[in-house]
Amino acid sequence: SKRVVVRPPRQLACSWRSVQSCAQMPTDEEEDADRIDALRSALELPFYLYEGPSFDDGSWFEACSRGLRGERIEEDQYSGEHYWLAQLRRHRWRVAQPSAALLFVVPLYLNAALQPSVKGASCNGTHFQVLLDATAAAVAATEQYARHDGADHVIVSNSWKLTQTPPEQAPWSKVGQLPNELFRRTFRNAIVGPMES
């Protein structure tokens, strides 16, 4: 059994100590910060980052996509997913086996995929929705997805267009728009984190 130590607040502790020893005591804020740091260092959240031909490793759209002002996509103001996924690829909590994970990260570069510069297609000319649906189908076919119906899956996106349906999703598409029901249905329970960088 764990021993719980209850310490009086600093004010009470100081009332029965000398003024000098009270001045040397850590403040409640310092003790809280130390406890938080200790908890953070002990925290571990193993995650699995999907990989393979049905998952974007950055090559589907980033090489040919440009930001709204013509800048490289990783310099775009909404490039957070690029840097977030780069950090996750080398993070110490990343695990190689899905069975060892608590969270499952679906790598999507939706900011790059939904930029007007790519005109609705990947760098090799494939319609963006075909690729997103291939990702959705690959995820839906996994054991870990079936376990919680995707509720432990994470998508981070800089594109608010993710929440829209055709024709509003990519009105600039030169290859037309395809229905996105498969993608939306597959990830209906996922943790979707819109972010701004």
Side-chain angles (χ1 to χ4, degrees), residues 60-61 64 113 118-132 134 173 175 178:
W60 289 359
F61 302 98
C64 59
V118 297
K119 299 177 175 58
S122 70
C123 297
N124 72 9
T126 305
H127 192 288
F128 76 90
Q129 195 60 54
V130 170
L131 294 170
L132 296 182
S173 177
V175 292
L178 300 175

Side-chain angles (χ1 to χ4, degrees), residues 5-19:
V5 177
V6 178
R7 280 183 270 171
R10 185 173 189 269
Q11 298 86 344
L12 270 179
C14 286
S15 66
W16 47 266
R17 293 181 189 259
S18 74
V19 173

Side-chain angles (χ1 to χ4, degrees), residues 4-187:
V4 178
V5 177
V6 178
R7 280 183 270 171
R10 185 173 189 269
Q11 298 86 344
L12 270 179
C14 286
S15 66
W16 47 266
R17 293 181 189 259
S18 74
V19 173
Q20 184 177 5
S21 66
C22 184
Q24 295 169 353
M25 286 180 59
T27 65
D28 290 340
E29 292 82 16
E30 290 169 333
E31 287 178 352
D32 288 345
D34 290 344
R35 280 191 289 254
I36 289 170
D37 287 344
L39 286 172
R40 279 190 183 136
S41 65
L43 179 67
E44 198 165 303
L45 183 61
F47 67 88
Y48 178 75
L49 179 63
Y50 283 97
E51 291 182 306
S54 297
F55 300 97
D56 191 355
D57 61 359
S59 65
W60 289 359
F61 302 98
E62 285 207 321
C64 59
S65 185
R66 293 283 181 242
L68 293 175
R69 295 177 300 279
E71 69 276 22
R72 290 186 359 219
I73 198 64
E74 62 271 13
E75 295 169 350
D76 181 67
Q77 67 179 359
Y78 302 112
S79 61
E81 61 201 26
H82 168 86
Y83 294 101
W84 184 72
L85 288 165
Q87 289 175 2
L88 289 185
R89 291 188 194 293
R90 57 183 185 270
H91 199 280
R92 65 185 174 92
W93 293 348
R94 184 179 179 194
V95 295
Q97 298 301 319
S99 59
L102 295 176
L103 283 177
F104 304 90
V105 179
V106 181
L108 294 171
Y109 294 83
L110 292 167
N111 180 51
L114 296 173
Q115 285 291 333
S117 64
V118 297
K119 299 177 175 58
S122 70
C123 297
N124 72 9
T126 305
H127 192 288
F128 76 90
Q129 195 60 54
V130 170
L131 294 170
L132 296 182
D133 284 350
T135 296
V139 168
T142 65
E143 182 182 314
Q144 60 269 14
Y145 176 84
R147 195 168 34 246
H148 299 291
D149 205 22
D152 49 4
H153 282 59
V154 179
I155 296 173
V156 169
S157 174
N158 282 103
S159 180
W160 52 270
K161 293 281 189 189
L162 173 67
T163 63
Q164 295 184 317
T165 56
E168 293 82 18
Q169 190 174 40
W172 51 83
S173 177
K174 301 296 186 217
V175 292
Q177 292 194 58
L178 300 175
N180 62 1
E181 284 85 17
L182 172 64
F183 182 85
R184 292 172 66 84
R185 186 176 60 250
T186 301
F187 295 113

